[in-house]
Amino acid sequence: MYFAALLARTEDGWKASDTELDDVETLSDLADLARESSPEEDTVLVLIEQEDAWFGVVRVDGEEDPRIYVSDAAAAARSAYGELLLTDELLGREPGAADGPDLDELDLDGTEDGESEADDDGDEEGGTGDAVPHSPVGDSEILDDLGIGEKELRTLDAEDALGSIAEALGASEVLETVR
């Protein structure tokens, strides 16, 4: 189960709308969806949470590149919606790098040198265990100017993070209308 909402900052305060991400295939699609919700090029926050395991915030300010924060990259990586947010840049990978291990470097039959090394790293399925950290990734200062500092954002529990963010923004009532 996931929940996704758009919070658009307007002259009259925050406006919320729930959104379906089924037709969103890329981060660019998500940013376009956010921009469409605010014709005045105001700040739009895309808030996503999945099964109380992780949450993400995407901030779109006009035509600027989206800024992203994900509370637990490894948990998000197991979700189609999380994969939208986990760009190569966000994960510190070379853009366009292949997902997963280089097949030329894998010991697929277990008969080559290095077998014991693979046994030592047995918890890394296919060598990708370190590719996505079990920690927050992205711009932890994404909400600083809106009253939620880096330390506060990093300490939010995925179970109630979106409610806490909305409360700090003064938008909890409008968010609850779309929940």
Side-chain angles (χ1 to χ4, degrees):
M1 249 351 247
Y2 80 95
F3 171 74
L6 299 171
L7 280 180
R9 185 168 59 176
T10 67
E11 291 178 4
D12 301 325
W14 291 96
K15 178 181 83 172
S17 57
D18 62 341
T19 187
E20 288 293 323
L21 299 180
D22 295 338
D23 295 331
V24 176
E25 295 180 9
T26 65
L27 182 58
S28 294
D29 292 344
L30 186 60
D32 290 344
L33 180 69
R35 288 183 185 104
E36 289 170 9
S37 73
S38 180
E40 299 296 320
E41 295 191 9
D42 293 319
T43 296
V44 178
L45 302 176
V46 181
L47 305 174
I48 303 170
E49 69 181 2
Q50 185 147 16
E51 297 174 354
D52 298 331
W54 66 275
F55 71 92
V57 179
V58 178
R59 180 176 177 159
V60 178
D61 293 301
E63 291 300 316
E64 292 181 25
D65 287 341
R67 296 167 58 192
I68 306 164
Y69 176 82
V70 176
S71 68
D72 182 337
R78 294 186 296 269
S79 157
Y81 303 115
E83 287 180 353
L84 285 172
L85 308 180
L86 297 175
T87 64
D88 287 337
E89 181 182 339
L90 194 69
L91 294 173
R93 295 190 293 220
E94 192 68 34
D99 291 334
D102 182 355
L103 294 179
D104 293 333
E105 294 180 17
L106 287 180
D107 179 10
L108 298 176
D109 63 6
T111 61
E112 299 173 13
D113 291 338
E115 188 172 308
S116 62
E117 185 180 15
D119 291 343
D120 292 343
D121 297 334
D123 61 320
E124 294 181 7
E125 296 177 17
T128 60
D130 289 337
V132 182
H134 285 278
S135 62
V137 294
D139 184 353
S140 57
E141 298 175 354
I142 192 170
L143 301 173
D144 272 359
D145 64 324
L146 299 175
I148 302 170
E150 175 180 2
K151 184 177 179 182
E152 184 180 354
L153 185 62
R154 287 184 174 270
T155 60
L156 290 175
D157 184 327
E159 187 174 333
D160 63 351
L162 299 191
S164 298
I165 290 170
E167 185 175 324
L169 299 175
S172 55
E173 288 182 24
V174 294
L175 183 64
E176 284 304 314
T177 63
V178 297
R179 250 196 207 269

